[in-house]
Every structure is written in structure tokens, then in C-alpha cells.
Amino acid sequence: MGTEHSKNEERRSMVFLRKGPKLPAWEDALLAGREPKALLKRGLRYVSLSLIMKGMTSTPDFLWGLHEVQKLNLSRNQLVVIPPSLGKLDRLVVLNLGGNCLKCLPKEIGLLRNLKVLFVNMNCLKEVPAELSLCRKLEVLSLSHNCISQLPLSFTDLTSLRKLNLSNNRFVQIPLCIFALRSLDFLHLGSNKLENIAESIQYLVNLQIFIVENNNIRSLPRSLCYISTLELLNADYNAIQTLPEELYRLRRLRRIAWNPMDKGLHIAHNPLSRPLPEVVEGGLDVLFSYLRDKKEHN
């Protein structure tokens, strides 16, 4: 009788466990006595680990022993801090920390010498460690939706950086270090507090996409017109009244664009002085012709 009672209790316990909340993948693996390495996925290019949307408030200790991992996704959790142990994962190529509650990054991030892609968007960062500039292979960096107002001068060492997203931060001016990043082909500074664009923008000779929408910019510099590679220039929602006469030099701008995803010149929602609003409505060819004639008669 006692044995039968014990079996019934065991069955009820098993049913209760099955109905209970599901354990996060890493806890489930550890409780089952599996090696944490079993969580790694071995793809064609990278050994990866994804712990996205696990409700984590801190990182599990076993993580820093997974030295093989090359692609790590910790996005959309509730992480407040990333410990210095991050530096142990020196094979990392891609690191996604987006959508957490991070107020800072550990200086040990500079030990990730193989890092090429870093997302720290949608956090609470007020500054970026100077040591990040030691990641000389970095090609893609997103720091959007934070509280950053300046960058370390050491960022000039990120000579491989091609894509930089600094949108939705607190920049009053474009950091000087950015003008040294000659490999940049994508630069997003939308939704900041910019009032001007320095003439030094001309040094970004490979820039193809430049977004400065939703700022307080009053004019576009002439030097911008000498970046012949520009295919998308988005200056929507600013305080621009006039356009530089040399704008017609940007021959890769194919049209006046209205859809945010389209390439071309975005100049809507600016207090353009007359006759520019009517000229813009005629399309890019009409605008360029007007600016060219204006320059020739000055």
C-alpha cells in the first residue's frame, strides 16, 4: 500500500513539474547534468550561443568558460552589468548586447581582438570605454538609443570601421574622432541634438549613407558636396533654410526621396526658403539645375 502511495505521489510530482514554468535552456541543461558546451551551435562560419529573451538580470558564470564561442547573443534581457570576464571570450567575432539595461561596458572589452560586429543599442550607456578602440578589426558598431554625448579620441584607431550607428543619443556635435574613420560607408546620427555638420565631413571619402534626420541642423556644409560616393543623404526634420549650391555634384543621389528606406536626397520637413520648396517638388534634376544656374550667376 505504501509503495503504491509513493508511486502516485511521484506521478503527481512529475505532472506538476511538466505543468510548471519552463526552465531557461541553460538551467535545464545543467540540471540534466549536460555540459554547457552542449548549448553551442556549430554553423558553417561560427560557433554560436544565443541566450536572447531569457529574462536574465545577470550572466551565468559558465558562460565565461565557453572559450570556443565566436558569436554571442545576449540581447533583450535585463542585464545591468557585463563582468570583466567578458575578456576571456577572445575568439568572439559577433557580440550582441542590445536591449538590456547596461550603464557601462567593461574595459576588458578591449581584449576581444577578433571582434568585428558589436551591438550595444537600446541600453543606458552614458559613455564608451576608450579600450574599445583596441578592437582594431571592428567593422560594425551600433550604439543607438543610449545617453551618449561624446566618444573617446582613441576611436581614431578603429580604422576598419565601416558602419556606425549613433542615432537617438545626446550628441550636440559630431565627435572629431569620427572624421578620421576613412573606411566608413554608413553613418547614422539621427535623433540627436546636432546644430551643424563640420566641414571636416569631407574626409569621409567612402561614405555612401549619411543620416542626420531629426536634429537642429540649420545648413549643410559645402564640403559635404564633395563626397562623391553618397547615395543616401537624409536631412529630414531639421532647421535647414538653404542648400549649398554645389549640391549638384552629388551625382549618385538619384532622386528626391520620401520613403525613409529609399536612397536619394531626403530634405522634407525643413523651413526651406523660397523658391526651394517649389523647386524640390519638381524633382532632383530640377533642383540640381536650379542650384547649378544659381552658382554660375553668382
Side-chain angles (χ1 to χ4, degrees):
M1 189 75 177
T3 303
E4 186 64 31
H5 177 74
S6 297
K7 287 182 178 179
N8 289 336
E9 285 295 320
E10 187 176 347
R11 290 193 194 99
R12 278 196 292 271
S13 297
M14 292 299 292
V15 170
F16 176 77
L17 284 172
R18 282 198 293 271
K19 289 183 178 178
K22 190 176 181 181
L23 290 168
W26 74 93
E27 290 184 16
D28 192 22
L30 295 178
L31 287 174
R34 294 165 60 197
E35 269 288 320
K37 287 185 178 181
L39 297 171
L40 297 176
K41 293 184 178 180
R42 301 178 185 276
L44 293 176
R45 294 188 63 191
Y46 301 124
V47 176
S48 63
L49 173 62
S50 177
L51 296 177
I52 182 175
M53 294 181 68
K54 301 298 183 184
M56 297 187 299
T57 55
S58 62
T59 51
D61 288 339
F62 75 82
L63 181 59
W64 314 120
L66 300 177
H67 302 293
E68 298 171 72
V69 67
Q70 297 169 287
K71 187 176 180 180
L72 177 61
N73 192 341
L74 299 176
S75 65
R76 301 175 71 181
N77 282 287
Q78 299 166 37
L79 300 175
V80 177
V81 65
I82 299 294
S85 302
L86 173 67
K88 295 179 180 179
L89 303 182
D90 56 5
R91 295 187 185 180
L92 277 181
V93 177
V94 180
L95 176 59
N96 191 341
L97 300 172
N100 280 286
C101 308
L102 302 175
K103 294 183 178 180
C104 62
L105 294 173
K107 63 181 182 180
E108 287 78 9
I109 198 168
L111 298 174
L112 307 181
R113 303 300 170 87
N114 291 301
L115 196 63
K116 290 186 178 180
V117 179
L118 175 60
F119 291 97
V120 204
N121 51 298
M122 300 183 71
N123 276 279
C124 307
L125 299 182
K126 291 186 177 180
E127 58 183 13
V128 184
E131 288 80 5
L132 182 58
S133 62
L134 297 174
C135 301
R136 304 291 171 80
K137 294 183 180 181
L138 198 61
E139 296 179 4
V140 178
L141 174 60
S142 178
L143 296 168
S144 71
H145 293 83
N146 278 284
C147 306
I148 305 168
S149 59
Q150 57 186 2
L151 295 177
L153 284 175
S154 60
F155 260 45
T156 56
D157 293 333
L158 295 176
T159 54
S160 297
L161 199 62
R162 295 186 300 106
K163 303 187 186 302
L164 178 59
N165 191 339
L166 297 173
S167 64
N168 291 273
N169 275 286
R170 298 179 180 177
F171 291 99
V172 175
Q173 59 184 12
I174 301 177
L176 290 176
C177 59
I178 288 180
F179 301 128
L181 305 178
R182 307 297 168 85
S183 295
L184 277 186
D185 58 39
F186 176 98
L187 177 58
H188 195 339
L189 281 157
S191 299
N192 277 282
K193 300 179 179 180
L194 303 178
E195 294 186 356
N196 60 70
I197 300 171
E199 294 285 346
S200 300
I201 192 70
Q202 64 185 313
Y203 297 126
L204 302 183
V205 295
N206 291 300
L207 200 59
Q208 297 176 24
I209 296 177
F210 184 38
I211 303 172
V212 286
E213 64 176 347
N214 195 28
N215 279 284
N216 302 310
I217 297 168
R218 297 172 185 175
S219 64
L220 298 177
R222 281 190 168 87
S223 62
L224 181 65
C225 305
Y226 293 90
I227 306 178
S228 59
T229 51
L230 270 182
E231 297 178 1
L232 189 157
L233 172 57
N234 189 339
D236 286 346
Y237 294 97
N238 275 283
I240 298 170
Q241 295 187 17
T242 61
L243 295 174
E245 295 168 1
E246 293 83 357
L247 197 67
Y248 67 86
R249 292 178 177 273
L250 299 178
R251 303 187 186 281
R252 292 197 182 185
L253 297 181
R254 300 297 185 188
R255 62 180 128 177
I256 300 289
W258 305 99
N259 187 318
M261 302 301 293
D262 287 345
K263 290 184 178 181
L265 174 64
H266 298 252
I267 198 65
H269 304 286
N270 280 282
L272 296 173
S273 59
R274 295 188 181 281
L276 283 176
E278 292 81 3
V279 175
V280 168
E281 286 182 8
L284 197 63
D285 289 340
V286 174
L287 173 62
F288 280 1
S289 179
Y290 167 79
L291 293 172
R292 191 183 296 108
D293 292 344
K294 185 178 178 184
K295 180 174 174 58
E296 289 175 355
H297 287 92
N298 282 345

